[in-house]
Amino acid sequence: MLSSLTLEDIIALRLELAARSVDNKLYGLEIWKSIPKITKEAVLKYAYSAARTKNEAAAFLGLNRNDFRRLLKQFDIVNFFEKKLDFNE
């Protein structure tokens, strides 16, 4: 079922679920201004998880290695995946 949805539909559903969890009070979050950052973080996470190496991920995104490393640190991508794999928590 999920595979039949567009990316736009999935984003809309996730926003709806987030709104429900706070009784539809998403005021003050500046979602519109945050979209570029949210999108870049999502694409960075995908590239990091899908590529076999960091160089391959950087090439996929059209970034040089230094910019890619800077973005990994800025968005804390490595820790995100390490936390997901930590079965001791």
Side-chain angles (χ1 to χ4, degrees):
M1 186 172 174
L2 184 63
S3 63
S4 66
L5 297 175
T6 66
L7 182 57
E8 294 85 353
D9 293 336
I10 294 168
I11 293 169
L13 287 170
R14 291 293 297 168
L15 284 171
E16 184 176 337
L17 290 171
R20 283 184 188 174
S21 70
V22 292
D23 199 27
N24 291 317
K25 294 182 175 118
L26 292 176
Y27 311 112
L29 294 180
E30 296 186 350
I31 292 172
W32 191 256
K33 288 182 181 179
S34 300
I35 290 172
K37 183 179 177 185
I38 292 167
T39 305
K40 287 178 180 180
E41 183 175 354
V43 173
L44 189 60
K45 284 178 180 175
Y46 167 74
Y48 185 83
S49 68
R52 288 175 284 168
T53 66
K54 289 181 182 177
N55 287 340
E56 187 178 284
F60 171 77
L61 296 172
L63 298 170
N64 64 46
R65 286 186 282 179
N66 288 334
D67 288 339
F68 183 72
R69 278 194 291 260
R70 181 182 52 77
L71 290 169
L72 288 179
K73 186 177 280 190
Q74 177 183 338
F75 288 99
D76 202 22
I77 300 298
V78 175
N79 285 332
F80 171 82
F81 286 102
E82 287 175 356
K83 288 178 189 173
K84 293 288 183 185
L85 296 175
D86 188 2
F87 297 108
N88 295 325
E89 290 184 10

